[in-house]
Amino acid sequence: MRNTLLTIATSLAFAFAASPAFAHAQLERSSPPVGGTVSSPSQIRLEFSEGVEPKFSGVTLSGPGGSAPLGAAAVEAGHQNVLIVPVAKPLAPGDYTVKWRAVSVDTHHTQGTFAFTVK
Ligand SMILES: [Cu+2]
């Protein structure tokens, strides 16, 4: 019985270590916030759980007028885990979808989608 439990515990540890969603660059916080309602933002700011490579990371933004023009993605000074993407033009009111992709400093890829509303 003791050996069986130990085997299960070991298997779980391996399952977590092998999971691609574990310990990579996950989105922890964003501005505009996920599901939030805001005035037209001047930038999209994404805070990840670990450092990201701005050359291989970025976002697309789509809304009522189609795809919104964005500037080049960069990391925030002193915060390799924060990706900043300038919004080129004021956004018309409506619902927007952010699709982000990130390559973390350990070269693992993650991606996700969230929505916000411009009032
Ligand atoms: Cu990783």
Side-chain angles (χ1 to χ4, degrees), residues 30-73:
S30 75
S31 174
V34 172
T37 299
V38 295
S39 305
S40 178
S42 60
Q43 63 181 25
I44 309 286
R45 182 182 187 276
L46 304 176
E47 193 174 326
F48 292 98
S49 56
E50 62 180 91
V52 297
E53 296 291 353
K55 276 186 190 147
F56 306 111
S57 305
V59 310
T60 60
L61 179 63
S62 53
S67 145
L70 300 174

Side-chain angles (χ1 to χ4, degrees), residues 1-9:
M1 186 59 187
R2 176 173 286 266
N3 277 343
T4 306
L5 283 177
L6 192 64
T7 304
I8 291 169

Side-chain angles (χ1 to χ4, degrees), residues 23-24 50 104 106 108:
H24 308 321
E50 62 180 91
S104 52
D106 65 6
H108 293 137

